[in-house]
Amino acid sequence: MPAKFLRSILITGGTSGLGYHCALNVARKYPDYQIIIASRSDPNSSANALNNALNQKNVRFLPLDLSSLAQWETNQFPPIHSLVFNAALQFPGDVQYSIDGFEKTFAISHIGHALLFSLLRPHLADMARVVIVSSGTHDPAQKSGMPDAYYSSAGELAHPTGQSLKNNGRQRYSTTKLVNVLYGYALHRRFEAINKKSGKHWTVAAFDPGFMPGTGLARDYSALQRFLWLKVLPKILPLLRLLLTPNTHTVEHSGKMLARLVIESDEEIGSGAYYEGPKRIKSSDASYDQDKQECDGRSRPRNNFISKRSSIDEEN
């Protein structure tokens, strides 16, 4: 049976928070595209909620198992127009590990996405875009209140040893968000070479959604911290913009800005760029270090290494 839709757009962590609102805006813009929200589970039937809200039928939930592409190929989804790498979590306490033995913050936000790109690369349309959700916390100059990002090697992030085992979980998060930007710039150079050789038109952009209290990002915080994050802070956004950072937004607003990077023209967005909301800005000084983008020189495998199986299952 021929595919019903013209193209596919896949959004990780798309069942709630930033990913959900990105999917809402993208699905509205592209009713003839298959919008796939990928996560470990969809307990709130988010795909049905999106379809009902739009009176459409183009959003579908896909349980994501990175150990196999069988479900993608069995469903015969049309070529991929865009991959939105949004899934992330913070683990503020002691270091936690994924099922594969990787530090969990790094596994969810980076390793899983790098693996997913490698698996789905053959399914990309000739004109395709990758959008990577990073964070302003990757840049010490922004003084976000998070511990400064510090990148020593990909191997050390994946398998912390010695002193790095004692690093604050929030610091591991900001460092992983730096890796997201490094990876985006490395992909950009590869895309330029691929485009020149094959005639394809692949682009990549990184995105800072800003400070968004109320999302599921702090799922593993203490009960009091979750209460403040979910119930108190979302009600005082104007004060937070004044006291903390003007880059403070509702998840609805940031979801719309993320969707913009998916649906706007290449002339508007470009490639190899970093965005804070709708604005193209410079990322951190450290993010432009090409040695770190490509290979840190002290560990193998490369910065964008992957495992045979990793988990992508939550939202920013």
Side-chain angles (χ1 to χ4, degrees), residues 5-151:
F5 298 103
L6 299 177
R7 290 286 186 270
S8 299
I9 294 176
L10 185 145
I11 303 168
T12 68
T15 58
S16 64
L18 180 66
Y20 178 91
H21 289 282
C22 174
L24 177 67
N25 285 276
V26 171
R28 180 184 290 120
K29 174 71 175 182
Y30 288 125
D32 54 349
Y33 279 28
Q34 178 77 78
I35 312 303
I36 300 160
I37 53 175
S39 183
R40 184 172 55 187
S41 62
D42 185 18
N44 298 317
S45 300
S46 300
N48 289 338
L50 288 165
N51 285 326
N52 291 337
L54 297 172
N55 195 27
Q56 297 173 183
K57 296 182 179 180
N58 63 323
V59 181
R60 180 169 177 176
F61 167 70
L62 182 69
L64 198 58
D65 178 5
L66 295 181
S67 65
S68 173
L69 265 186
Q71 56 186 326
W72 184 273
E73 294 168 347
T74 299
N75 283 291
Q76 297 182 315
F77 291 121
I80 298 170
H81 172 77
S82 186
L83 295 172
V84 183
F85 294 155
N86 162 68
L89 272 180
Q90 285 186 32
F91 301 95
D94 294 337
V95 62
Q96 296 189 34
Y97 294 94
S98 72
I99 191 173
D100 304 300
F102 297 118
E103 191 281 315
K104 207 168 183 180
T105 312
F106 191 59
I108 291 172
S109 187
H110 176 65
I111 299 176
H113 286 136
L115 172 58
L116 184 60
F117 173 77
S118 296
L119 293 174
L120 294 181
R121 174 176 166 173
H123 300 275
L124 292 182
D126 287 345
M127 180 175 289
R129 181 177 296 161
V130 176
V131 182
I132 302 170
V133 177
S134 179
S135 167
T137 63
H138 91 278
D139 186 356
Q142 291 204 20
K143 301 186 184 303
S144 66
M146 293 281 282
D148 290 349
Y150 175 72
Y151 179 91

